[in-house]
Amino acid sequence: MKKVLVVCGNGLGSSMIVEMNVNSILKDMGVEAEVSHTDLTSAKTEQADLYLGSGDIVGNLEDGKKNIVSLNNLMDKKELREALENNL
Amino acid sequence: MVDLIMKDILGTPAILVGLFALLGLVAQRKNIADTISGTLKTVMGFVILGAGANVLVQSLGKFSDMFDKAFSVDGVIPNNEAIVALAQDSFGTETAMIMLFGMVANIVIARFTPFKYIFLTGHHAMFMACLIAVILTTGGLTGAPMVIIGSIILGSIMVLFPALLQPYTRKITGSDDFAVGHFGTAGYLVSAFIGGKVGKNSRSTEEINVPKSLGFLRDTSVSVSLTMVILFFIVAGFAGPTFVEENLSGGQNFLVFAFMQGLTFAAGVYIILSGVRMLLAEIVPAFKGIADKIVPNAKPALDCPSVFPFAGNAVIIGFLSSFIAGLLSMFLLPIFGLKVIVPGLVPHFFTGAAAGVFGNATGGRKGAIFGSMANGVMISFLPALLLPVLGSLGFEGTTFGDADFGVVGVILGNLVSLFESSVVFILITLAVLAVAFLVGWKVQGKDEEESEAA
């Protein structure tokens, strides 16, 4: 079971919406994965197979080991779909 | 038995919210495992929220003592999480009820009017529900009538505010895919309006190279820690080492004490946020799932960072302008006989940044700067004006931070105290909302004609 983590500054609003979108796209693709959302501080210590968020946020997670995709437009489902297809 | 259900079960906010989550999970036909874990996590989220409030209150009390000694005035730190967590002791059940039925009202209004917005910023819906519960209760309303009118008010503003902003949001995003549902709306509207007035021929903020080094402030826990430590240092310095070490820290060095108290405050906010996150994780998706089934063409109204990617530089410029205006306002407030509102980095970051994006959309660089400054002044004065209507909750040293809480609170608070009878108050409130909807209808109609003509 792969794990996708969506990150935003507060871990409340935007990341939750993106998480819902990720869930619906994964359903479309027929892929099973565990999806959750959190804030930047918690994300640093949480393990996941794919980290998603806007560039200015997830850029802070770079440690050379994590699989990070920064999204240009959080609300763009096409971009999100590509990110998921290329990384899961 | 009735007593057990009404008082012990439904009267415990944590269980009440847990029941909402359970309803939502069952409605979505989730499997048993998801239903159990979702329900338990929601209840636990509420417990965590209360625990965070206890941590935060200790350091808030110390801050007030020092501030009082240093400047002989009351300093108030606006923080939504803090005030809502504090309010849960006395207003928990009312908050939960108004939040749930406010969401229902939102779906109903979206279904039967042309305003198809579904407000998905769950934590703001919760904060607004809490504000409404506090003000109506303080104004003498109770029981079912209070919950019903409170829910109608909440449901209406969850639809109206995104609708008011939509013409500008469309300008920013270039589409009608989503709306902004965030209770800083008043600040964004003013910012967009000022932008249109001052920003003739001003170039967009996006043609400037701004260093990305301020990005770390978007991490809430970092920005809260940093602000609070700096604030505690300043206040401890003014209060003097003797006062702090003799009365507060039990002999611990005053700077070490200030550092630890600042971080204790930040830790409290962090704990409250994790609680809020847990309790919303089940409720918001359920709300969206139900809304999507009932309201054709529903438009999601999303948290303010959803517009940040459209103007990255305006975000930084907006935050700085708003914060500077907040600092200046700190010195102006006492002149007007109001309590000092200590500018918080979090409200200024999120609402200042969004105000910057809206100001830039209508008036380029000038619009972003002056629009956000107006937002900064608003989120200094409105929280101060709000304090008197919060009743006993107004003396806790914290208050609601964003513009709309101030606008809605001040209007409701004054309406409640104007009319002795709650029946008259309810009728007047409904009339005010009806007028607001009619105006919105007209604006939307015009707006659509224009965009169709364009």
Side-chain angles (χ1 to χ4, degrees):
Chain A
M1 185 76 128
K2 294 267 187 173
K3 180 170 172 186
V4 180
L5 188 62
V6 187
V7 187
C8 77
N10 237 339
L12 283 174
S14 334
S15 54
M16 184 141 108
I17 307 293
V18 177
E19 181 194 336
M20 288 190 233
N21 292 342
V22 169
N23 273 321
S24 72
I25 292 169
L26 289 177
K27 216 172 178 170
D28 253 13
M29 290 162 52
V31 177
E32 279 230 347
E34 185 192 339
V35 189
S36 64
H37 68 279
T38 188
D39 66 303
L40 185 52
T41 308
S42 315
K44 286 193 171 141
T45 51
E46 202 166 321
Q47 288 309 315
D49 300 293
L50 174 63
Y51 296 82
L52 293 169
S54 66
D56 52 335
I57 300 259
V58 287
N60 292 309
L61 290 172
E62 262 328 329
D63 59 359
K65 291 200 268 313
K66 291 190 168 87
N67 181 15
I68 297 169
V69 174
S70 60
L71 302 164
N72 295 322
N73 179 356
L74 284 178
M75 303 303 148
D76 184 355
K77 290 191 180 146
K78 271 202 222 90
E79 188 187 355
L80 194 59
R81 199 185 172 103
E82 275 167 27
L84 292 168
E85 280 172 347
N86 297 336
N87 287 285
L88 287 181
Chain B
M1 188 64 204
V2 171
D3 213 33
L4 171 77
I5 293 176
M6 288 311 293
K7 210 168 121 251
D8 293 345
I9 296 180
L10 296 181
T12 308
I15 300 179
L16 188 64
V17 178
L19 285 172
F20 298 163
L22 180 63
L23 275 175
L25 290 159
V26 171
Q28 295 177 86
R29 302 210 179 83
K30 293 268 190 197
N31 61 29
I32 299 280
D34 282 352
T35 308
I36 292 174
S37 70
T39 309
L40 289 178
K41 272 173 139 177
T42 308
V43 179
M44 195 161 83
F46 216 99
V47 176
I48 291 173
L49 180 109
N54 291 338
V55 172
L56 186 135
V57 164
Q58 293 170 2
S59 95
L60 197 62
K62 305 273 199 301
F63 183 86
S64 297
D65 290 345
M66 288 196 277
F67 200 94
D68 205 20
K69 166 83 179 121
F71 307 109
S72 310
V73 283
D74 283 339
V76 177
I77 307 169
N79 186 298
N80 298 330
E81 288 81 17
I83 188 126
V84 169
L86 291 176
Q88 292 319 303
D89 274 348
S90 325
F91 303 97
T93 308
E94 290 84 351
T95 301
M97 286 280 187
I98 291 179
M99 181 177 169
L100 173 73
F101 292 111
M103 286 174 161
V104 173
N106 178 177
I107 293 175
V108 171
I109 295 167
R111 174 71 184 79
F112 294 108
T113 72
F115 304 98
K116 300 288 174 203
Y117 303 102
I118 301 294
F119 192 96
L120 292 179
T121 311
H123 56 293
H124 265 211
M126 180 181 167
F127 300 162
M128 192 57 97
C130 176
L131 171 81
I132 292 170
V134 170
I135 287 184
L136 295 186
T137 313
T138 308
L141 278 81
T142 47
M146 198 274 290
V147 172
I148 293 168
I149 185 71
S151 309
I152 293 174
I153 296 168
L154 179 61
S156 304
I157 53 187
M158 281 160 89
V159 177
L160 276 173
F161 286 13
L164 285 171
L165 265 182
Q166 195 56 18
Y168 300 117
T169 311
R170 193 180 306 122
K171 205 166 179 165
I172 292 167
T173 61
S175 76
D176 248 338
D177 293 348
F178 70 88
V180 172
H182 187 268
F183 288 134
T185 316
Y188 312 151
L189 281 173
V190 168
S191 181
F193 173 77
I194 288 181
K197 288 273 175 271
V198 300
K200 292 264 186 302
N201 316 324
S202 179
R203 284 164 54 191
S204 167
T205 50
E206 301 318 288
E207 299 168 28
I208 320 169
N209 285 326
V210 172
K212 289 267 180 255
S213 54
L214 282 165
F216 74 99
L217 289 175
R218 285 201 52 186
D219 186 347
T220 306
S221 52
V222 176
S223 56
V224 177
S225 308
L226 202 64
T227 341
M228 291 319 294
V229 167
I230 292 171
L231 280 176
F232 267 92
F233 271 161
I234 294 171
V235 174
F238 275 103
T242 345
F243 172 79
V244 175
E245 284 162 25
E246 278 174 12
N247 299 305
L248 299 172
S249 72
Q252 186 185 38
N253 174 288
F254 76 114
L255 288 178
V256 177
F257 174 78
F259 179 76
M260 287 313 291
Q261 289 300 321
L263 284 178
T264 305
F265 186 99
V269 172
Y270 186 78
I271 298 169
I272 294 170
L273 279 174
S274 351
V276 172
R277 197 173 306 132
M278 258 172 128
L279 93 107
L280 291 176
E282 308 305 328
I283 292 174
V284 173
F287 174 52
K288 184 173 189 296
I290 294 164
D292 285 348
K293 282 198 186 81
I294 298 178
V295 186
N297 312 325
K299 273 185 215 145
L302 309 174
D303 201 354
C304 65
S306 55
V307 295
F308 291 178
F310 294 93
N313 293 342
V315 166
I316 305 288
I317 291 168
F319 156 62
L320 291 174
S321 312
S322 183
F323 194 67
I324 289 165
L327 287 173
L328 294 174
S329 302
M330 215 162 84
F331 299 101
L332 292 175
L333 285 159
I335 299 171
F336 290 93
L338 293 163
K339 284 203 173 165
V340 176
I341 299 291
V342 183
L345 268 186
V346 173
H348 280 285
F349 190 92
F350 283 96
T351 70
V357 176
F358 277 95
N360 179 49
T362 56
R365 292 172 199 184
K366 276 189 191 156
I369 293 169
F370 290 107
S372 313
M373 284 188 96
N375 176 74
V377 172
M378 284 169 75
I379 63 172
S380 301
F381 276 78
L382 286 166
L385 292 168
L386 182 63
L387 283 170
V389 296
L390 291 180
S392 57
L393 200 65
F395 300 104
E396 297 275 14
T398 179
T399 173
F400 290 90
D402 302 81
D404 296 353
F405 298 116
V407 172
V408 173
V410 169
I411 292 174
L412 270 189
N414 285 312
L415 276 181
V416 164
S417 58
L418 263 183
F419 304 106
E420 284 298 311
S421 105
S422 39
V423 178
V424 176
F425 163 75
I426 289 174
L427 289 174
I428 298 279
T429 309
L430 290 175
V432 170
L433 288 174
V435 169
F437 273 109
L438 281 172
V439 172
W441 216 305
K442 280 235 164 73
V443 170
Q444 197 172 26
K446 250 207 286 215
D447 202 50
E448 272 168 12
E449 278 165 30
E450 276 171 18
S451 57
E452 275 164 24

